[in-house]
Amino acid sequence: TFVDMLAANVVTTDVQTLMGKESGSVLFIDMTEAQIMSNPASFLDLALASSFCTEIISLIPESLAETASNTFLDELLAAHSRG
């Protein structure tokens, strides 16, 4: 979902999620702060995207960091191939 949102030029601040303790699956809730970035992205859009990424990364438990990194790379490659 995180990569799909970025691929769609959508970011949000005040990220709120429900995360499965065993599976690590994530459900984004409360998307009231979500915004569609302009094309090309403005300085403010890039700052919001950076904040969004930082918030998401901070939610990943240390024990799942390697798995999350591998999954993130797979998702980025898939998004790139979709165009």
Side-chain angles (χ1 to χ4, degrees):
T1 303
F2 168 58
V3 172
D4 291 330
M5 288 176 66
L6 290 175
N9 286 336
V10 175
V11 295
T12 189
T13 55
D14 189 26
V15 173
Q16 297 181 42
T17 62
L18 297 175
M19 185 178 293
K21 290 183 180 183
E22 293 180 17
S23 67
S25 62
V26 177
L27 173 66
F28 286 82
I29 59 173
D30 187 9
M31 299 296 286
T32 56
E33 301 292 324
Q35 298 181 43
I36 298 172
M37 296 188 295
S38 57
N39 191 4
S42 68
F43 179 81
L44 179 58
D45 289 334
L46 295 176
L48 289 171
S50 178
S51 176
F52 179 48
C53 292
T54 299
E55 286 188 59
I56 294 297
I57 290 168
S58 72
L59 295 172
I60 300 169
E62 180 90 19
S63 62
L64 295 174
E66 186 174 344
T67 300
S69 179
N70 292 333
T71 302
F72 181 61
L73 181 57
D74 291 343
E75 291 295 322
L76 283 175
L77 292 171
H80 180 70
S81 68
R82 288 191 301 266

